[in-house]
Amino acid sequence: MDEHKLDRNAREASPSDEEKIDLYRLLAEFWKAFRRLFWLPVCLAVLCCAFFAFRAWWSYTPMYQAEVTFTIQTPTSGSTGDISSGSTYYDKAAAEQLSKTFPYLISSELLQNMLRQELGVESLNGTLTAQTVENTNLFSLQATSSSPQSAYDILTSVIQVYPRVADYVIGSTIMNLLTEPSVPTSPCNQLSLLRPAVKGAFLGCAAGLVLILLFAATRRSIRSSREVRSQLNQTYLGSLPQVSFKRRTRKTQEIVSIQNRRISGSFQEGVRRLRVKLLREAEAASAQVLMVTSTLPGEGKTTVASNLALSLSQNGVRVILVDLDLRKPSVKKNLGIKVPSRGAEYLLSKGGNAVEQLIRLEGTSLRLLAGDQPADNPRKKSASRRLRAILAELRQEADYIILDTPPCGLLADSGAMATLADGTLYVIRAGVAQVSHVLDGLQFLGESGAKILGCVLNGVEGNHNGYGYGYYGYGYGGYSSYGYGYGSRKKRKGEDDAPEQDT
């Protein structure tokens, strides 16, 4: 009843609500990606900082500037040459005419040609700039060049050439120098690496954040029960709350188990609800052997399988938990069992009675078939007839058999094991595997003949709707749990034609 109400409310949600949810999902994906890829903006900031600083240093060319200040007067404005005299300073009409014509003459082609002739060069090794003081005949002239001597030569040549050029435009003029030009001794453009370095660091950091945002925006992962139904078209069996421990010492490792007193009640309640729903599906499908798998390593399949088996055994059901992860057996480690034992890998290699190899978990009625060592040639052994015979023996000893199998998104082993199980429980850690990868794994199991009973969602952050392993790393042979390893799927189709590589 409650689920129908939730579905109806979700369908009736307004577009603005969906946009808020999408924005929240984007921010959640961004933060998740940032925590994992925080090094990217840092590295880009450092690289861009170094690049911009190096480029500024490499492209730096010291420039030298020679400057002179002078007045210009016409014969009609007086002949004293004193800038403080009324005939030169307050003749606004003459000053206005000179202020307009002086910059034009300095940049004119006529002066440039005469200047090149004066210096005896084909092109000037520098530039000229001029400033005027408004309503006066006071001017300043700068010659800038990469050579201090060239700057000085250009400036002195202008002083010689300008009166001749002015004769063509405004007639006779008189230039009165107020400062004498000199050869510059220091560059006018000091090298500063701080500004380009800061600019590069900012751009690099921004580029890294944009890349992380694009990565988060393009990820389509499963995060809610609604998405399990809508995007995967699978039955949602439940979720487990997040579990994290504060380590007292570096050597201490907590066990994510309902037997652990430090496990929260919400986790135990999540396992109980999962057990109830799974039993309902299993009874409807007449499933005795239940296979637990996931898309990627680290999604919690072993923890789900172990706690589900424990919960069933507490309910008075005869349960056998079988570790069929022949490449990386981890059930015993997950339950904190240190007593040596022989598992399926030994029976597949040496033979023997499967029931005799069962061990009982202390304080429970749960029995395990779990070993300590990985199997040789696991791909071949996972598809052997001997494995079917082992499970046939165990069927006589238990009401339910839980199989912990390898991730189906990386390896083909689970496909062969799927034909031995009556039903499959698919574990999905929220926000990890992309929807396309999960669908790929489900399709692979379907093509292998597996019957999917439903999905359990892990790692849903907030409101205790999911759980994750903040302290446990999980490696699977040479595969990365975040790299997806989907190159192995291409190998899967031709796996029988190539020799297998043991991991």
Side-chain angles (χ1 to χ4, degrees):
M1 182 69 178
D2 294 336
E3 292 183 0
H4 293 304
K5 290 182 179 179
L6 291 174
D7 291 340
R8 184 172 65 253
N9 292 336
R11 291 194 298 268
E12 294 175 355
S14 62
S16 60
D17 293 335
E18 293 180 0
E19 291 177 1
K20 292 179 181 178
I21 293 175
D22 290 340
L23 179 59
Y24 172 79
R25 282 175 54 86
L26 178 60
L27 293 177
E29 290 285 359
F30 174 79
W31 176 242
K32 183 179 180 66
F34 178 78
R35 286 186 298 176
R36 184 151 47 95
L37 301 174
F38 69 92
W39 53 267
L40 180 60
V42 174
C43 291
L44 288 179
V46 173
L47 291 175
C48 290
C49 174
F51 173 75
F52 274 68
F54 175 78
R55 188 181 67 171
W57 172 81
W58 182 263
S59 60
Y60 170 71
T61 301
M63 302 300 292
Y64 298 89
Q65 190 176 81
E67 184 176 9
V68 66
T69 304
F70 54 90
T71 61
I72 299 177
Q73 65 182 81
T74 62
T76 56
S77 61
S79 57
T80 62
D82 187 359
I83 192 173
S84 62
S85 64
S87 59
T88 59
Y89 190 79
Y90 293 104
D91 190 346
K92 293 183 179 181
E96 184 177 356
Q97 181 185 17
L98 290 172
S99 64
K100 290 181 178 180
T101 58
F102 180 71
Y104 166 76
L105 292 177
I106 290 299
S107 60
S108 65
E109 187 65 25
L110 176 61
L111 185 138
Q112 297 290 324
N113 290 334
M114 295 182 66
L115 195 56
R116 286 192 290 267
Q117 293 177 4
E118 180 74 17
L119 294 171
V121 295
E122 294 183 358
S123 61
L124 295 178
N125 182 27
T127 58
L128 289 170
T129 55
Q131 290 83 34
T132 63
V133 179
E134 188 177 0
N135 296 327
T136 70
N137 62 341
L138 181 63
F139 304 92
S140 64
L141 183 65
Q142 298 86 27
T144 306
S145 175
S146 57
S147 169
Q149 187 62 44
S150 296
Y152 173 78
D153 293 341
I154 291 173
L155 187 62
T156 54
S157 298
V158 172
I159 296 174
Q160 299 296 325
V161 170
Y162 176 78
R164 286 181 283 165
V165 175
D167 285 342
Y168 292 99
V169 181
I170 58 177
S172 178
T173 59
I174 301 174
M175 178 181 290
N176 300 310
L177 299 182
L178 302 181
T179 59
E180 290 292 332
S182 60
V183 178
T185 58
S186 60
C188 61
N189 60 330
Q190 297 295 330
L191 174 62
S192 176
L193 300 180
L194 179 61
R195 184 173 181 179
V198 171
K199 180 180 178 181
F202 175 79
L203 292 178
C205 183
L209 294 176
V210 169
L211 290 176
I212 294 178
L213 181 61
L214 291 176
F215 173 76
T218 54
R219 283 184 58 82
R220 293 293 182 268
S221 57
I222 303 298
R223 285 186 172 274
S224 66
S225 60
R226 179 172 58 88
E227 292 171 345
V228 172
R229 300 186 184 99
S230 62
Q231 299 190 43
L232 302 181
N233 194 27
Q234 294 293 327
T235 302
Y236 171 71
L237 296 178
S239 60
L240 300 177
Q242 181 171 350
V243 174
S244 61
F245 300 104
K246 293 182 179 179
R247 291 184 176 176
R248 301 171 186 174
T249 63
R250 294 184 178 180
K251 296 182 179 180
T252 302
Q253 183 175 355
E254 295 286 357
I255 299 174
V256 184
S257 168
I258 57 176
Q259 289 188 310
N260 190 341
R261 294 181 179 180
R262 298 185 65 194
I263 290 293
S264 64
S266 58
F267 180 83
Q268 297 185 16
E269 179 64 18
V271 174
R272 187 191 69 81
R273 291 182 179 181
L274 173 62
R275 182 197 71 204
V276 172
K277 290 187 177 181
L278 181 61
L279 282 177
R280 187 183 308 161
E281 296 293 331
E283 290 175 2
S286 300
Q288 180 186 9
V289 179
L290 305 177
M291 167 180 158
V292 182
T293 188
S294 62
T295 306
L296 305 173
E299 294 195 75
K301 63 176 184 60
T302 302
T303 298
V304 171
S306 302
N307 284 280
L308 182 60
L310 282 171
S311 182
L312 287 171
S313 66
Q314 291 176 351
N315 201 37
V317 178
R318 296 183 303 161
V319 184
I320 297 177
L321 176 59
V322 182
D323 192 344
L324 284 186
D325 196 339
L326 301 179
R327 298 174 187 262
K328 187 178 177 62
S330 56
V331 166
K332 291 180 62 178
K333 179 180 179 182
N334 199 268
L335 292 174
I337 301 175
K338 298 181 180 180
V339 178
S341 62
R342 295 170 177 175
E345 72 283 351
Y346 175 83
L347 295 174
L348 292 172
S349 300
K350 306 295 184 180
N353 190 302
V355 179
E356 294 178 356
Q357 302 300 331
L358 294 177
I359 60 174
R360 188 177 299 276
L361 182 62
E362 184 178 355
T364 71
S365 61
L366 175 63
R367 290 182 292 175
L368 310 176
L369 180 61
D372 305 304
Q373 301 298 325
D376 296 330
N377 202 354
R379 174 67 184 93
K380 181 179 180 180
K381 291 180 179 178
S382 63
S384 66
R385 295 181 179 180
R386 176 58 185 159
L387 182 56
R388 183 179 296 274
I390 292 174
L391 294 179
E393 292 181 43
L394 298 180
R395 283 178 183 268
Q396 307 300 321
E397 298 291 326
D399 298 318
Y400 289 100
I401 301 173
I402 309 296
L403 307 180
D404 178 38
T405 62
C408 65
L410 294 179
L411 303 166
D413 303 18
S414 56
M417 298 173 183
T419 61
L420 307 178
D422 303 323
T424 299
L425 174 63
Y426 203 91
V427 179
I428 302 171
R429 184 174 180 183
V432 175
Q434 296 194 48
V435 173
S436 60
H437 296 158
V438 178
L439 289 173
D440 200 14
L442 290 170
Q443 181 181 359
F444 171 70
L445 289 178
E447 294 174 351
S448 301
K451 179 178 177 57
I452 309 296
L453 299 180
C455 299
V456 56
L457 191 62
N458 296 340
V460 179
E461 298 181 0
N463 297 328
H464 305 290
N465 289 327
Y467 88 107
Y469 306 96
Y471 295 97
Y472 302 106
Y474 191 104
Y476 205 90
Y479 300 99
S480 168
S481 62
Y482 289 106
Y484 301 123
Y486 270 80
S488 62
R489 184 168 297 284
K490 297 180 179 178
K491 296 179 182 179
R492 178 179 293 156
K493 296 180 180 179
E495 200 165 16
D496 294 336
D497 299 332
E500 180 174 337
Q501 296 179 358
D502 295 336
T503 58

